[in-house]
Amino acid sequence: MCGIVGYIGNREVQPILVDGLSKLEYRGYDSAGIAVLERERLDVRKAEGRLANLSEKLDKRPLKGTIGIGHTRWATHGGPSDANSHPHTDMSGKFSVVHNGIIENYMELKEELMGKGVVFRSETDTEVIAHLMADLYDGDLVRTVRALIGRIQGAFSIGVITEHEPDKLVAVRQASPLVIGAGQGENFIASDMAAVIEHTRDVYILEDGDLAVITAEEITIMKAETGAPAQRKKLRVHWDVEQVKKGQFEHFMLKEIHEQPLTLRNTMLGRLGRDDQVTFEGLELTDKYVQGIEKIFIVACGTAYHAGLVGKAAIEKLTRIPVETDIASEFRYRDPIVTDKTLVIVVSQSGETADTLAALQESQRRGAKVLAITNVATSSIARDADYVIPTVAGPEIAVASTKAYTAQLIAFYLLAIYFCQAKGTLDDQERRDLVRGLKELPLQVEKVLENADEVRCFAESIKDQKSLFFIGRGLDYAVALEGSLKLKEISYIHSEAYAAGELKHGSLALVEEGTPVIALVTHQELYEKTVSNIKEVKARGAHVMGVTGEGNMDLFNAVDEICFIPQASQLFAPILAVVPLQLISYYTSLALGNDIDKPRNLAKSVTVE
Ligand code: F6R
């Protein structure tokens, strides 16, 4: 969480920083600020709330200069306010710091500094860095930052500038992402390459413990602890700049929902051979290793966890390898039974989620191999995992995840087939049927999207409801969980997902006249059972929207409204069933006038525990 950007070069820095922050706002949007060095004088502007508030301040009092740092915040220590916004400065105003992460020993450092007469102006952990820099400064910024790193504990990426040495910008990475953009006579730092690709396609990804000294002409990377040079590969980014723009869509979320036919195709591209064999380029899982797997754990957070629930079903059904799913923040603290015969699959769109990364490291410590399914091939999770399957969804900007989820499902389906090939548990015909079904999905999603207006009226009708239920059995339940999360996070309407048969064991008491219930009925073999559960809620006055496969016309008799999705095999139906739920969340929030791409209290990349 929090986004950092920095620039050093010959151009006016303010618009570059503000534009960079606009690309990083998804990481946090409680407040924003920039610090600029002009003729060896540091000046700072900050504003609580969205970046637009900062821009307004800057319009009135612009900052001039060609070196600067900026920050967009997701509050951890201290609420959103001007005072708690970054950049933070020391008492003399000569050092300015932006920080993403948490300084765990900040209280201890704060007391020490206060004992020396330092007066703190914010409640943040970050402010200690600025004061400590001033306290430790010995005439050499790099040496001082290295000394600072020896004093602070926790997860951080930091950018520092100072009036004392106005020709450089120093950046450090420790367990929080940071990239350096290498330009011509100008260089950049950013939490995510999205903030720099308009200016340069050449980036260095810093690794944990790296310190970078950046001037307009040069980038020097070393290990912060020893000062030894660190060789990092210069990477060329091939993202399309348009991908990080909204284009014709009102919101990134709607754009990303509509991109799904393409992102599903891209995630399959090159992975289905002529003979319908699944291959993953560069994945070195040997058949012998796969044959020896005794158990699989799928570990993730939020939407990625929900993808894992579908992944479990796919792997168990096709390979018969037992799979356990776990929420990453729980997994690492519950002494999981993980051995060298366990494969742990972590799923993460961003590849930076702190809990998921910690689960990965804990699994490796226990001797397991870890396979990552991630959308960011250069992320911490991708780099630490033993094996990586990239999803090819392109940058996902809206906080509510949509296209990353469906791409994760594709990755799981392909992986399950791949395991079967290694184990020899699927005959050719079964494999061909599965692959045919997979290939049909992008077109089928297009069809669902063509009927988006069908769910729009329903979405508008629930906007004033206090509470709502999603019900389903089997994989429909997994999709119900995702639909419920999506609705909560952007509409702020309370909702719960239930395994349809479980409702009567307590929660049915909450259903009353007019309670909206979204019932997923795509499991043909569980069809009658789910219909019985629908009747139970209808009998208590619920207003039911059914989501079902085309052809199930008789569901009309059991529900009030209906949304048809194309018929697909049970395993693949979640990809189709989730799309109307994504649209319902979107249109409900739109009707409520919410900030859809940046819902309250949330951030896209959760890099704190
Ligand atoms: C919900 C959402 C979150 C993320 C979760 C994990 O729409 O986006 O629940 O799925 O924070 O994030 P990643 O996948 O980046 O690890």
Side-chain angles (χ1 to χ4, degrees), residues 457-485:
C457 285
F458 175 78
E460 286 165 359
S461 78
I462 60 170
K463 77 174 179 25
D464 297 318
Q465 294 289 339
K466 291 266 166 300
S467 188
L468 199 134
F469 290 94
F470 289 79
I471 60 171
R473 286 171 174 261
L475 280 174
D476 283 338
Y477 171 48
V479 178
L481 285 164
E482 175 56 9
S484 172
L485 175 65

Side-chain angles (χ1 to χ4, degrees), residues 301-305 347-353 356 381 396 399-402 408 482 485-486 489 603-606:
C301 304
T303 288
Y305 170 76
V347 192
S348 175
Q349 186 283 128
S350 63
E352 300 294 347
T353 301
T356 311
I381 286 177
E396 192 179 61
V399 165
S401 184
T402 52
Q408 285 157 359
E482 175 56 9
L485 175 65
K486 217 83 309 172
E489 67 178 320
K604 182 78 181 158
S605 181
V606 186

Side-chain angles (χ1 to χ4, degrees), residues 48 51 116 199 246 327 423 457:
E48 184 186 336
L51 184 60
K116 292 182 176 178
H199 307 289
K246 272 188 271 200
I327 294 168
K423 286 171 68 89
C457 285

Side-chain angles (χ1 to χ4, degrees), residues 349-410:
Q349 186 283 128
S350 63
E352 300 294 347
T353 301
D355 287 318
T356 311
L357 184 58
L360 177 163
Q361 287 157 350
E362 180 61 23
S363 306
Q364 286 174 332
R365 207 180 57 74
R366 288 170 186 251
K369 294 278 188 221
V370 178
L371 183 154
I373 295 178
T374 178
N375 200 35
V376 183
T378 49
S379 61
S380 307
I381 286 177
R383 273 183 288 127
D384 284 5
D386 300 283
Y387 312 106
V388 182
I389 297 182
T391 47
V392 193
E396 192 179 61
I397 312 284
V399 165
S401 184
T402 52
K403 62 176 181 171
Y405 169 82
T406 46
Q408 285 157 359
L409 297 199
I410 293 290

Side-chain angles (χ1 to χ4, degrees), residues 56-57 93 96 109 116 152 173 188 194 196 217 260 293 323 326 348 426 517 542 575 589 594:
E56 221 174 275
K57 272 197 182 171
S96 187
L109 294 168
K116 292 182 176 178
I152 58 178
R173 177 203 158 120
F188 306 78
V196 301
E217 299 296 340
Q260 290 178 109
I293 298 172
V323 182
D326 214 339
S348 175
L426 206 61
V517 173
I575 292 219
S589 313
N594 292 352

